[in-house]
Amino acid sequence: MEAIRTLLVANRGEIAVRIIKTAKALGIRTIAIYTEADAASTHVALADEAVLLAGENGSGYIDGDHIVQIAKKYDANAVIPGYGFLSEHAEFSQAVHAAGMVFVGPSAESIEAFGIKHTARGLAEKAGVPVVPGSGLVKDQEEALRISNELGFPIILKATAGGGGMGLMQCSNEEEVKKSFDMVQSRGTTLFKNAGVFIERFYPSSHHIEVQVFGNGLGKAISFGERECSIQRRHQKVIEECPSPFVTKHPELRDKLCSAAIKLAESIKYGSAGTVEYLVDDESGDFFFLEMNTRLQVEHGITELCYNVDMVELMLKQADAQLLGRGGLDSANLEALITTKPNGFAIEARLYAENPAKNYAPSPGTLALVKWQETDGSRIDTWVHTGSQITSYYDPLLAKVMFHSKTSRQDAICGMLEVLKGSEVCGPPTNLDFLASILQTPEFMSGKTLTKFLSSFKYSPSAIDVLAGGALTQIQDWPGRPTLGKGFPHSGPMDPLAFRIANLLVGNPMGMEALEITLNGPDLVFLGPAIISLCGAPMEAELDANPFKMWTRTKVEAGQRLKIGKTIGGGCRAYLAIYGGFPGIASWFGSKSTSTMVGVGGLQGRALATGDLLTITQDLPKDVGDASLPENLIPEYPNHWEILAMSGPYDDDFLTTEDVQAIFNNTWTISHNAARGGIRLLGDIKPKWARSDGGEGGAHPSNVPEYGYSIGALNWTGDDPVIFPVDCPDFGGFVSCPTIVKGEFWRLGQVKAGDTLKYREVSLADALVVRATVEKYIDGVAKCCLRNTGWNEVLRLDYNELISSTSSKGAKKGVIRKLEATEARPVVSYRQGGDDFLQVEYGVGMFDLNHTCRATALNKTLKESKGPISFSTGITNTVVCGNSITFHYDGTKIPQATLLEELCKLEDVLGDLHSIKFPSRLFRLPLTLESWRQTAAIQRYMETQRPYASYLPDNMDFVAKNNGFTRQDLEKIYFEQRFITIAVGFFCALPLCLSVDPRFRLNCPKMNPSRVWTPSGQWSWGGSCGALYNVESPGGYQLTGLTIPSVDILGYKKGYSPDRPWLFEDFDQLSFYPVSEEEYERQRALFYSGRYEYDWKPVMFDMKEHNKLLKETRAEVEETRKRQRLAQEEMDKLEKEMLEKWNQEKAKDEIPMDEVEALLNGKCVLIIAMLHPTNSCTDPAIAKIESPLNANVWKVMVEEGHTLEADETVVILEAMKLEISVRADAGLAGAKVEKLLVRPNDVVKGGGSLLLVRKKG
C-alpha cells in the first residue's frame, strides 16, 4: 500500500475478522469498532486498536456520524464497511469522503443508483441486460392488483429499498396481494425509510445465480465467474457454490451472464467489488437481472478459492489508487487478473445460531465449545470461539464454512461433509446438522437445486424439542466434577441412585448425562425415536396423553410428546435418561453436568427453557426389549427422613455436648431455601456454643478461620444450620457438624421444603456398610438390566431394616487424632468429615502464614507421591485454605486409618519449614475505590434488603472505623501493602487473601443479611481476609473497591486456558495501584474483550524473613489488636442498636393477625365496616389464596383493590432456587384484592394465606 496507512473496519463478525487478516498481511494498521455485546469478539482482539462504540448495542454499528468521528480521532485514512450495516449507505460513503478519507467500496453515486431496486432495473434495461418482467413503482393496492394480473401469478412484491431478504412477499392470487401490499409498504418505511413498492413475476422453478464483478471506476470492469445461491431460507442464502452446477451443465451460459454483468458495471464506471444477481429459468436457461449488490458479497470466499484472488486486497488496492488521485487501478493490471474458467469447485455453507426445527428461529446463547474440523481444502471464516456470546442484536451468522476441491464437485461435497460432521459447535441450537443433511440429498448431489428447494426439503433431526423446561430441569452426569475444586461446584445428580438406574434401564453407562427434574417436569417432543426411562420421586407423566410408567425402559417414536408434571408423593427429583445421552452437549473438565451457579456445563450453564433443542443419537439398538424395575425394588421416598451421619469435623471445643446431642435428637424441618447449593433446616435449637466468639475467624462463635468444607456437612451460619449438598462452596469460615455419610447422599438429594429430617449417628464402619449395601443394590440392577432377568436376586433397599442395623457404637468425634506441637511444627489436628473427608488443621485457630506454608507443602508432596496415599490410589481432591488442608478421598479405596497414619508420617517428612522459600507471583492490579457498580450494589442492598446498618452507606468507612483507622489509613494499606493468597476457591476461584505484614491485618464483620448481588471484580473484606469476587454473585464481604476479575470460565482470554480458567494459586501475592473510575472501566473492557494483560513477576516468598518480621513487630501488632478490639466494640454497639431499630420497624409493618383472622372467619371488624358500611357481620364473599409450599415471597404482583383476571399471577414465590407463580383460578375472575398478607422477602408455609380477595357479586 502506498497511501492507506490506517484502516477502520466499520463492521463486526466474521467479515471484520476476514478484512483485518488481509489488511495486516498488507502492512495496514487496523482499527476495530465494537459494542459492549461484542467486546469478546475475535475482530476486537485481532485489530491493532479497538474502540468501544457509544450508544445501544443494537444501533452502534449503524451510527455513521460516530464511526466517522472515531476514524478521524484515531487517524484512519480509509474506512471499509464489509457487507450489511452501512455498506450500501450512500450518505455514509459521502461522509467518509467529506472527512478526507477513502471509502473502500464503490462511489456514493453507484450505491445510490443500485440501492433503489426499480432504478436498478432501469439501469439494467439501459445496459441491455434482461430484467424480470415487472413494474415500476406501484402507487396503491388497486394498481398492484392490475399489474399482478397482467404479469400473471405468481408474483413477488418488493420494497424498492429492501435487501437481505427483507421487504419481499410472494403472492399466488389476488387475495394474497391485498393482504401483502400494505405490509411490504410498511416494512419498506420502517426498515429502509422508503415506502416504494414494485412488482416482479415470480419464477418458482428457477436458479439464483450471481456474477462477481470488479471495476476500476474508470470504465473498466472484469468478472470472476459465477456462483449459485439457490438454496435459501426466508430469501437469505444458506449454501452457495462456485461454479454454478447449472452453468457447468450449460457452459455457454457463463459467458452470457458474465458479459451482461460487465456491461452493466462499465455502463456506470463502477469501482470496487460488486455482485450482479440473476434469476435463471431452469427449463429455458433464460436469465433476468434481479439486483446489483454494491459491496463485498457474503459468499465472496468461494470465488477467491476458485479464481485465486483476494477480493479484499483488490478493494484496498483500488481504494489506495483513489487516495493517490489515480481514480482507480490500472486497466491493464485489472485485465491481467482475468481467468476464463474456475480452478476447481468450492462450496460454502453458512453456519447460523438458529433452530431449523423451529422455522429457523434465532438462538442466542453461549458457545460452550467451538472446534473446527480443518482439512486440506477447507476454509472457515468465523468470528466465534469457545465462550462467545451470541446475542439477539445481530445476524445469527457464526461462520462461513468453505471447501475447495481442484478435481471435482463430488470431492468438494465429500470434503465439505467431512468438515461439517467433524466440527463441534455446542451451545444454542445451530444449523450444522441441517447443512450436512442438505448436502446429502439426491437433489444437491446431482446439482439440481432450485430456489424452492427448502420448501419441500424435509429435515428430521434426531433431537428433542423443548416446549417447556419445567421448574428446574438440567443436564447432569455422574459423578460430576469431584476432582476440579477451586470453587467450581462438584455438580452431578443430587440423587445418584435413581440417576444411575435410569441410565442402566436404557442401556447407557451409568454415569452418562441425563436430565435432572426438580418438583415439576418439562414438556418434550421427540423429533426422532429414542429409548428413555424416568426414575426417581413419583411424578405425573404422560406420553401422548397416556399415563407413562416410571422405572421402565420405553421406546419413543418420532413425533411423540412426553409431558412430565409435578411430584405426587415424597421426594422432589426424578431423572430422565435417554439412550446415547446428549451428544451435542460439550464437556467441561470431563463432565457435561450443569452448574447454574457458575453458568457452565450442560446446556449453556443453565436449566432447560422453552425453545431449546437437545440433540440425541440416531443410532438406536435394533432389539430394545422390555425392562422394568419390579415394584418391590423401587426405593421409597418418604416425607420424614432419618439420615445417617458422623460427628465432625467441628464439635469438640466449638459446640457444647448438649448442642451436639440436640442436633441428633431434634426433628428438623426442611426450609423453602433448599437447593443444590444448600439445604437450610428449621428447628427450635439455638446452640449455646462452647466459646464466646470466633476469634480471628469472626465475631460470632460459629466463625472459624476459613477451611475446606465437606459435602454432606451441617454448616452453622451463625445460629442457622444448612446442609451442604453437591453444589456447596468448597471452603468457608463457619463451623460444620455433623456430616451425612456418602451412602445417604441419594436420600439427601430427595428432601424437599416442608419435609422433616432427623439425624442418626453412626460409626465409620457402619457408614461404609450402608454405602456398600447401596452399591450392591445398584450392581444387582445393572446385571438384571443387561439380561432382563434375575430381578429376584437383587437385594432390596429396606431402609427401616438398614437404619436399625446401624449404631453409634465406636463412633468418633470430630478430632480423631492430634499431634502436639514441636519446635519444627505446630499442633496438628485431624478432623473427620463423614466417610470421605478429612481435614488437617495446623495451629489453634490463629491465621499464620507458617501454617498456610505447611498445608501447601503437604499438598505438593502428595501430588508428587507414589506411595499408599496419593491421587492415583484414592485421593480425589484437596482444598488448601488458610491454616488447613481438607482431603476429599474415596473411603472404599483408602481406609481412614491408613490415610491418618500416612499423613502423620508425612509431618516428619516435611520437617521444619520456618526458613523455606516458596515460589510466588507478585501481581500488580488496578483498584478504583469509587465506582457506579459498587454504589449500585450498596443502593440495591439498602432498597431491597436492609435500609441502614453500621456498615451503611459506605462500607469503606466502616472497615476503617472498625479497625481504628481513618479512611486515609485504609487507602494507604490497600495501595502500599501486599496481600498473600491463602486459598483459591469458595465460589468461582475466588482468591482469599491476608495482609503479609501482620501490623496491617484488618478485621470486620460481614453484612447481615448478606447481599443477593455483588459486581464482578469486587475487592472486599470480611473477617480477617480480603477477597476478590470474580463473577456476579451473592456475597457478604464489605465492598471496598473494584479491580480486574481473575477467572475466565471457558479459558479463552489472555492469561487463561481451557484447562486452567483461574488465575491465582496459593501463595500468589496481590498489590494494588489507584486508578480513576474511567481508567478502571477502560481496563475492565480490555479484560472482557480478552485483551487484558496481567502485570506480574515471579518472586520467592521467604518464610525466614517473614518470621523475622513477625518477631520484630510482635509488640506493635499487639497494640494494633488492642486498638482494633476497642474500635470493634464501639461498632458492635452501633450495629446492635441499628439492628434492633430495623427489627422493630419490620415488626410494626406486619399485618395484625386479629385483622387477618377476622377476615378469614367472615366476622364484622372495623376495616370491613369502613370499606363496606352496609355489610352485615358475616361476609362469606371473602376467599383466600394460599401458598402451595414452604417458600420465600419474591414478588407481589397485585395491589389492594385490584380486580383479578382468570389465571392471573398474584404472587411469585421462590423455593429451592425456583420461581413459582401463584395464580388466581378461573373462579376468582372479577374478584377484588381485599388484603395483602405478605410482602417481598417474607417466608410463608405451605397452605399459608398470601392474600384475601372479595368475590365478584
Side-chain angles (χ1 to χ4, degrees):
M1 292 292 112
E2 294 181 56
I4 297 178
R5 303 180 310 276
T6 301
L7 175 70
L8 184 142
V9 182
N11 215 305
R12 63 173 297 279
E14 56 78 27
I15 188 57
V17 173
R18 187 259 171 280
I19 289 169
I20 290 170
K21 286 180 178 178
T22 289
K24 280 180 170 281
L26 294 172
I28 300 172
R29 176 174 168 264
T30 55
I31 300 170
I33 55 174
Y34 68 97
T35 59
E36 281 194 5
D38 265 345
S41 292
T42 303
H43 78 285
V44 178
L46 276 182
D48 296 298
E49 186 101 33
V51 182
L52 178 65
L53 291 164
E56 300 296 322
N57 284 311
S59 59
Y61 293 106
I62 56 174
D63 187 344
D65 292 341
H66 181 48
I67 292 170
V68 170
Q69 287 174 10
I70 291 171
K72 290 166 67 177
K73 180 179 178 181
Y74 288 87
D75 296 323
N77 64 343
V79 176
I80 184 167
Y83 51 73
F85 294 127
L86 297 172
S87 61
E88 292 180 285
H89 282 232
E91 297 88 347
F92 181 61
S93 172
Q94 289 166 344
V96 170
H97 284 293
M101 297 173 283
V102 65
F103 179 81
V104 185
S107 66
E109 293 76 18
S110 294
I111 294 172
E112 198 163 27
F114 284 104
I116 304 300
K117 288 182 168 54
H118 75 280
T119 305
R121 281 172 57 88
L123 289 171
E125 288 177 308
K126 188 176 178 181
V129 180
V131 297
V132 176
S135 72
L137 289 182
V138 179
K139 64 175 184 285
D140 55 31
Q141 190 183 107
E142 185 179 340
E143 186 178 11
L145 287 168
R146 178 181 61 76
I147 293 171
S148 297
N149 281 304
E150 288 174 1
L151 289 172
F153 289 101
I155 59 92
I156 191 163
L157 299 173
K158 289 188 174 184
T160 190
M166 294 179 286
L168 304 177
M169 292 295 287
Q170 179 189 328
C171 304
S172 300
N173 51 53
E174 289 189 354
E175 275 307 307
E176 290 182 1
V177 172
K178 290 176 184 176
K179 288 179 183 176
S180 303
F181 184 82
D182 290 343
M183 189 184 300
V184 173
Q185 201 170 52
S186 173
R187 284 183 183 174
T189 302
T190 303
L191 298 174
F192 311 108
K193 297 182 174 58
N194 189 324
V197 177
F198 70 101
I199 302 174
E200 287 182 343
R201 176 74 186 275
F202 180 67
Y203 290 83
S205 295
S206 58
H207 298 267
H208 187 120
I209 298 174
E210 62 190 25
V211 172
Q212 177 70 64
V213 296
F214 196 95
N216 67 355
L218 302 171
K220 179 64 181 176
I222 63 172
S223 78
F224 293 100
E226 84 290 341
R227 299 182 288 257
E228 173 133 2
C229 313
S230 299
I231 300 177
Q232 301 180 12
R233 54 102 173 103
R234 294 198 297 265
H235 301 288
Q236 288 186 318
K237 300 157 190 173
V238 177
I239 293 177
E240 301 100 342
E241 294 189 69
C242 179
S244 157
F246 184 79
V247 172
T248 301
K249 292 172 186 173
H250 304 83
E252 72 286 352
L253 190 57
R254 179 171 294 127
D255 184 57
K256 293 179 183 178
L257 293 169
C258 292
S259 296
I262 291 169
K263 192 188 297 184
L264 179 60
E266 290 182 339
S267 72
I268 63 160
K269 294 186 178 180
Y270 188 82
S272 200
T275 301
V276 179
E277 299 192 354
Y278 297 105
L279 196 66
V280 181
D281 186 73
D282 184 57
E283 295 176 4
S284 65
D286 293 341
F287 65 94
F288 308 99
F289 171 80
L290 281 175
E291 63 180 346
M292 182 170 183
N293 290 318
T294 53
R295 54 170 166 78
L296 187 66
Q297 198 81 332
V298 177
E299 57 274 17
H300 71 275
I302 49 175
T303 294
E304 292 180 325
L305 291 171
C306 287
Y307 286 86
N308 194 28
V309 63
D310 185 326
M311 297 302 301
V312 173
E313 180 180 342
L314 210 51
M315 291 175 73
L316 289 168
K317 286 180 176 178
Q318 168 71 14
D320 194 64
Q322 291 171 211
L323 202 57
L324 290 166
R326 297 171 185 164
L329 292 169
D330 181 75
S331 296
N333 291 339
L334 203 58
E335 284 182 353
L337 299 173
I338 295 174
T339 304
T340 55
K341 62 179 182 178
N343 175 25
F345 301 81
I347 303 170
E348 174 181 281
R350 299 191 191 186
L351 180 64
Y352 289 107
E354 65 183 19
N355 188 343
K358 286 259 181 142
N359 196 28
Y360 313 105
S363 303
T366 303
L367 297 181
L369 176 67
V370 177
K371 189 177 179 181
W372 303 110
Q373 176 75 21
E374 298 191 71
T375 63
D376 288 342
S378 68
R379 169 176 160 181
I380 296 168
D381 287 5
T382 185
W383 65 277
V384 298
H385 48 73
T386 296
S388 289
Q389 294 284 336
I390 312 305
T391 72
S392 57
Y393 299 114
Y394 314 114
D395 185 274
L397 181 66
L398 303 181
K400 298 181 312 195
V401 181
M402 292 169 265
F403 192 88
H404 176 236
S405 169
K406 294 180 179 178
T407 55
S408 70
R409 181 174 180 268
Q410 187 59 42
D411 283 349
I413 294 172
C414 291
M416 177 62 95
L417 281 171
E418 182 183 355
V419 174
L420 292 175
K421 289 185 175 183
S423 295
E424 295 178 80
V425 182
C426 302
T430 73
N431 66 338
L432 189 61
D433 180 67
F434 174 75
L435 295 171
S437 299
I438 290 174
L439 264 63
Q440 295 173 89
T441 60
E443 294 91 340
F444 189 87
M445 288 286 191
S446 61
K448 295 179 180 177
T449 51
L450 304 174
T451 52
K452 63 181 180 181
F453 169 77
L454 286 184
S455 63
S456 59
F457 173 61
K458 302 299 180 188
Y459 175 57
S460 301
S462 294
I464 299 172
D465 183 11
V466 181
L467 301 184
L472 181 67
T473 305
Q474 51 187 227
I475 294 167
Q476 297 292 341
D477 58 17
W478 177 81
R481 303 181 186 89
T483 63
L484 177 55
K486 299 291 182 184
F488 297 106
H490 182 297
S491 302
M494 284 284 281
D495 175 357
L497 184 144
F499 178 92
R500 288 185 280 171
I501 292 176
N503 265 322
L504 291 169
L505 281 168
V506 299
N508 283 339
M510 66 176 70
M512 181 164 273
E513 65 275 6
L515 296 180
E516 179 176 86
I517 300 161
T518 304
L519 289 179
N520 203 316
D523 191 353
L524 311 171
V525 172
F526 287 78
L527 304 181
I531 301 167
I532 67 172
S533 177
L534 180 66
C535 298
M539 285 190 159
E540 296 173 343
E542 294 180 343
L543 185 63
D544 288 344
N546 297 312
F548 181 81
K549 188 179 179 183
M550 294 182 67
W551 302 93
T552 300
R553 178 190 301 158
T554 303
K555 173 78 180 294
V556 177
E557 300 300 337
Q560 287 196 284
R561 180 177 178 178
L562 177 65
K563 193 171 184 179
I564 302 172
K566 63 179 184 294
T567 53
I568 51 176
C572 62
R573 291 180 176 88
Y575 297 88
L576 181 67
I578 294 159
Y579 179 82
F582 302 108
I585 298 297
S587 287
W588 189 70
F589 280 90
S591 170
K592 295 186 179 183
S593 283
T594 308
S595 177
T596 54
M597 296 173 71
V598 180
V600 76
L603 188 66
Q604 302 175 62
R606 59 167 173 80
L608 296 195
T610 300
D612 285 339
L613 192 73
L614 294 172
T615 303
I616 57 176
T617 185
Q618 58 185 355
D619 301 320
L620 299 181
K622 292 179 181 177
D623 300 317
V624 177
D626 296 325
S628 185
L629 200 67
E631 198 74 29
N632 68 308
L633 293 182
I634 295 174
E636 295 178 0
Y637 299 95
N639 294 118
H640 173 73
W641 304 83
E642 194 165 349
I643 300 281
L644 306 177
M646 294 167 57
S647 284
Y650 286 90
D651 45 17
D652 310 335
D653 302 326
F654 293 88
L655 292 158
T656 66
T657 303
E658 185 181 344
D659 291 336
V660 176
Q661 288 174 349
I663 292 170
F664 283 100
N665 292 335
N666 187 54
T667 297
W668 301 92
T669 299
I670 307 300
S671 162
H672 70 278
N673 283 319
R676 290 180 57 91
I679 300 170
R680 193 163 290 280
L681 301 184
L682 304 174
D684 298 327
I685 295 174
K686 183 176 181 181
K688 295 180 179 177
W689 301 104
R691 55 193 192 144
S692 60
D693 60 44
E696 287 202 2
H700 195 273
S702 66
N703 297 142
V704 289
E706 278 76 2
Y707 67 98
Y709 285 149
S710 309
I711 296 175
L714 183 65
N715 188 254
W716 291 88
T717 54
D719 295 326
D720 299 318
V722 59
I723 301 173
F724 278 157
V726 290
D727 281 355
C728 67
D730 65 351
F731 73 68
F734 293 103
V735 164
S736 293
C737 180
T739 304
I740 294 169
V741 301
K742 192 163 187 180
E744 292 279 70
F745 281 8
W746 72 272
R747 302 179 76 229
L748 175 64
Q750 289 290 358
V751 302
K752 65 181 176 185
D755 283 359
T756 55
L757 178 148
K758 189 167 184 178
Y759 282 101
R760 181 183 176 95
E761 187 174 12
V762 294
S763 65
L764 175 61
D766 278 350
L768 294 173
V769 168
V770 170
R771 185 164 162 185
T773 303
V774 172
E775 294 304 315
K776 186 176 180 182
Y777 164 77
I778 294 173
D779 289 344
V781 172
K783 290 172 184 173
C784 292
C785 286
L786 284 174
R787 59 180 188 264
N788 197 23
T789 59
W791 293 105
N792 59 330
E793 298 172 13
V794 179
L795 177 68
R796 179 172 175 266
L797 274 181
D798 186 339
Y799 256 80
N800 291 327
E801 182 181 329
L802 190 59
I803 289 173
S804 63
S805 69
T806 62
S807 164
S808 60
K809 186 178 180 181
K812 297 177 181 178
K813 297 305 175 187
V815 178
I816 56 176
R817 185 172 294 187
K818 183 178 281 190
L819 301 180
E820 295 304 325
T822 67
E823 288 187 6
R825 58 158 172 76
V827 62
V828 188
S829 302
Y830 298 88
R831 300 179 179 276
Q832 70 176 4
D835 48 342
D836 265 12
F837 302 90
L838 185 73
Q839 179 193 347
V840 180
E841 180 187 35
Y842 295 108
V844 288
M846 305 287 282
F847 280 109
D848 189 331
L849 292 184
N850 285 286
H851 303 158
T852 309
C853 170
R854 198 164 190 88
T856 305
L858 177 58
N859 190 44
K860 184 174 183 291
T861 300
L862 279 166
K863 284 189 173 177
E864 296 169 353
S865 171
K866 305 246 188 262
I869 60 165
S870 68
F871 285 85
S872 61
T873 60
I875 293 175
T876 56
N877 200 9
T878 54
V879 180
V880 174
C881 187
N883 300 331
S884 67
I885 175 171
T886 298
F887 290 91
H888 297 214
Y889 70 101
D890 186 339
T892 65
K893 293 181 179 178
I894 303 178
Q896 186 192 80
T898 302
L899 180 62
L900 195 57
E901 288 303 320
E902 294 299 323
L903 288 173
C904 289
K905 290 177 187 176
L906 283 174
E907 287 304 320
D908 293 330
V909 174
L910 292 176
D912 191 337
L913 301 178
H914 288 96
S915 300
I916 194 173
K917 290 184 178 179
F918 236 97
S920 175
R921 293 178 298 171
L922 177 59
F923 285 82
R924 187 171 176 268
L925 296 169
L927 183 72
T928 180
L929 301 178
E930 302 293 337
S931 167
W932 68 266
R933 299 175 192 275
Q934 181 170 290
T935 302
I938 293 174
Q939 189 66 30
R940 179 173 172 178
Y941 179 84
M942 293 174 67
E943 290 173 357
T944 62
Q945 293 182 262
R946 186 174 171 183
Y948 42 77
S950 57
Y951 47 82
L952 295 174
D954 192 321
N955 288 181
M956 190 81 176
D957 278 350
F958 169 73
V959 174
K961 290 175 183 176
N962 197 70
N963 286 276
F965 293 126
T966 65
R967 185 185 178 100
Q968 290 70 30
D969 291 335
L970 181 57
E971 290 181 13
K972 190 175 180 182
I973 290 171
Y974 272 9
F975 295 124
E976 292 183 3
Q977 297 303 309
R978 295 181 181 183
F979 302 90
I980 193 160
T981 304
I982 60 171
V984 178
F986 178 67
F987 184 74
C988 242
L990 173 149
L992 190 73
C993 303
L994 202 62
S995 174
V996 173
D997 191 327
R999 292 171 293 180
F1000 304 105
R1001 287 186 185 164
L1002 307 169
N1003 192 287
C1004 70
K1006 299 159 192 171
M1007 287 184 168
N1008 176 27
S1010 59
R1011 294 179 307 280
V1012 296
W1013 181 72
T1014 308
S1016 60
Q1018 183 71 60
W1019 173 248
S1020 54
W1021 208 274
S1024 298
C1025 298
L1028 169 55
Y1029 289 86
N1030 288 317
V1031 296
E1032 291 185 2
S1033 64
Y1037 281 30
Q1038 305 292 340
L1039 309 182
T1040 59
L1042 278 111
T1043 186
I1044 303 300
S1046 61
V1047 75
D1048 175 28
I1049 301 294
L1050 296 174
Y1052 65 88
K1053 295 183 175 73
K1054 275 189 179 179
Y1056 299 91
S1057 63
D1059 59 352
R1060 197 175 178 280
W1062 58 86
L1063 179 66
F1064 295 119
E1065 298 287 356
D1066 299 329
F1067 265 80
D1068 279 345
Q1069 298 174 69
L1070 284 64
S1071 66
F1072 297 104
Y1073 64 93
V1075 293
S1076 65
E1077 183 174 359
E1078 181 182 7
E1079 173 60 15
Y1080 170 72
E1081 289 295 332
R1082 186 190 73 80
Q1083 295 197 37
R1084 181 185 176 94
L1086 285 175
F1087 170 77
Y1088 281 104
S1089 70
R1091 296 174 294 144
Y1092 184 82
E1093 294 190 29
Y1094 292 94
D1095 181 0
W1096 66 275
K1097 62 182 180 181
V1099 294
M1100 297 299 289
F1101 190 84
D1102 191 332
M1103 289 304 304
K1104 184 177 182 180
E1105 286 298 316
H1106 179 70
N1107 285 316
K1108 181 182 176 184
L1109 175 67
L1110 294 182
K1111 187 175 180 181
E1112 291 172 350
T1113 61
R1114 188 170 294 150
E1116 191 178 346
V1117 169
E1118 184 52 41
E1119 284 301 311
T1120 301
R1121 296 293 175 268
K1122 285 179 183 177
R1123 186 176 74 249
Q1124 286 174 322
R1125 282 193 289 271
L1126 289 173
Q1128 286 159 13
E1129 285 174 8
E1130 290 300 311
M1131 297 307 290
D1132 285 347
K1133 286 179 187 176
L1134 178 62
E1135 174 62 6
K1136 284 176 182 175
E1137 291 171 8
M1138 289 189 159
L1139 191 59
E1140 179 63 25
K1141 182 182 176 184
W1142 181 49
N1143 287 333
Q1144 287 176 358
E1145 288 185 0
K1146 285 196 298 179
K1148 194 189 302 181
D1149 291 337
E1150 287 180 0
I1151 309 293
M1153 284 312 298
D1154 57 347
E1155 180 181 313
V1156 174
E1157 289 299 321
L1159 283 169
L1160 288 173
N1161 296 328
K1163 294 179 181 176
C1164 184
V1165 290
L1166 178 62
I1167 190 166
I1168 293 181
M1170 290 172 64
L1171 291 171
H1172 306 282
T1174 60
N1175 276 356
S1176 63
C1177 290
T1178 61
D1179 196 345
I1182 293 293
K1184 59 184 177 179
I1185 296 178
E1186 299 177 340
S1187 172
L1189 75 171
N1190 292 12
N1192 182 64
V1193 177
W1194 183 40
K1195 290 182 181 178
V1196 178
M1197 308 300 291
V1198 294
E1199 298 177 348
E1200 292 178 4
H1202 173 78
T1203 301
L1204 296 176
E1205 297 178 7
D1207 204 38
E1208 180 178 2
T1209 298
V1210 293
V1211 174
I1212 300 176
L1213 305 175
E1214 184 272 325
M1216 303 178 76
K1217 300 299 180 186
L1218 309 179
E1219 293 174 23
I1220 297 114
S1221 295
V1222 180
R1223 304 177 186 277
D1225 63 36
L1228 293 178
K1232 284 195 174 182
V1233 178
E1234 186 85 4
K1235 194 71 178 173
L1236 295 173
L1237 305 180
V1238 294
R1239 295 165 303 171
N1241 295 320
D1242 282 355
V1243 175
V1244 293
K1245 292 184 177 180
S1249 299
L1250 300 172
L1251 62 155
L1252 305 180
V1253 301
R1254 182 173 295 279
K1255 297 177 185 176
K1256 186 178 180 182

